[in-house]
Amino acid sequence: MGLAERRAAKEFETKRFPQFKKDIDEAAGFDVPVTVAWETLALDGESHLYDECWPKVYFVPLIAALKAITIDDMGKEALKASLKKIEIQNRADTSNASRFAASFEGGTLLLDNKPHTNVDDVKDRTQSIQSLLESKL
């Protein structure tokens, strides 16, 4: 990762991520620890895509899925009892939104997908996250 990528990733982390974190907590109904492996999201030569792609691939579908689950008290209680943390990274070898690499084990929701592929498949990723969580809660 070059200087341009590090700068763009740091800017996203410091300027955009705090609002996404607030939105995640609000959607979940509690403060959820979220870790992002920024260095795995920051692809060489693609820093100009971070602001557009990262929200659509990771944060918007996550927030929408959490909102759908916590639509009632049963969902809120189930999520709060089960979800301990969220990890976001780009380590899996997948780019197809229908194969969005997400897992939920031991209270950890792991979202792992290429950050600049199929970016407009937000609904598919949202549905994948929601279905995964609902099946495990």
Side-chain angles (χ1 to χ4, degrees):
M1 172 172 39
L3 182 59
E5 291 80 16
R6 289 195 311 270
R7 281 182 175 150
K10 188 65 172 175
E11 183 172 338
F12 190 98
E13 180 183 1
T14 58
K15 292 185 179 175
R16 299 216 42 211
F17 178 69
Q19 184 61 52
F20 285 121
K21 174 64 168 92
K22 286 179 186 176
D23 294 344
I24 290 166
D25 292 343
E26 184 178 315
F30 64 100
D31 184 14
V32 183
V34 178
T35 58
V36 181
W38 299 106
E39 71 283 358
T40 68
L41 272 55
L43 302 179
D44 287 335
E46 297 188 11
S47 60
H48 63 286
L49 297 173
Y50 299 175
D51 278 343
E52 175 190 357
C53 297
W54 292 359
K56 290 179 178 180
V57 172
Y58 299 105
F59 302 105
V60 172
L62 171 61
I63 293 163
L66 294 174
K67 284 181 179 179
I69 290 168
T70 60
I71 197 161
D72 59 20
D73 289 338
M74 185 181 297
K76 289 175 189 173
E77 291 167 10
L79 189 68
K80 189 171 185 174
S82 299
L83 182 62
K84 305 303 177 208
K85 67 179 175 175
I86 299 168
E87 295 179 359
I88 298 172
Q89 63 186 25
N90 171 31
R91 292 192 172 101
D93 186 21
T94 183
S95 60
N96 185 333
S98 66
R99 295 183 312 137
F100 183 69
S103 62
F104 185 58
E105 296 179 22
T108 299
L109 174 62
L110 173 64
L111 304 180
D112 191 347
N113 198 40
K114 291 188 183 297
H116 307 147
T117 305
N118 298 324
V119 295
D120 291 323
D121 292 342
V122 176
K123 282 186 180 182
D124 291 339
R125 282 187 286 277
T126 299
Q127 186 175 27
S128 293
I129 295 167
Q130 181 180 347
S131 296
L132 171 66
L133 286 171
E134 287 179 341
S135 72
K136 304 276 186 165
L137 297 180

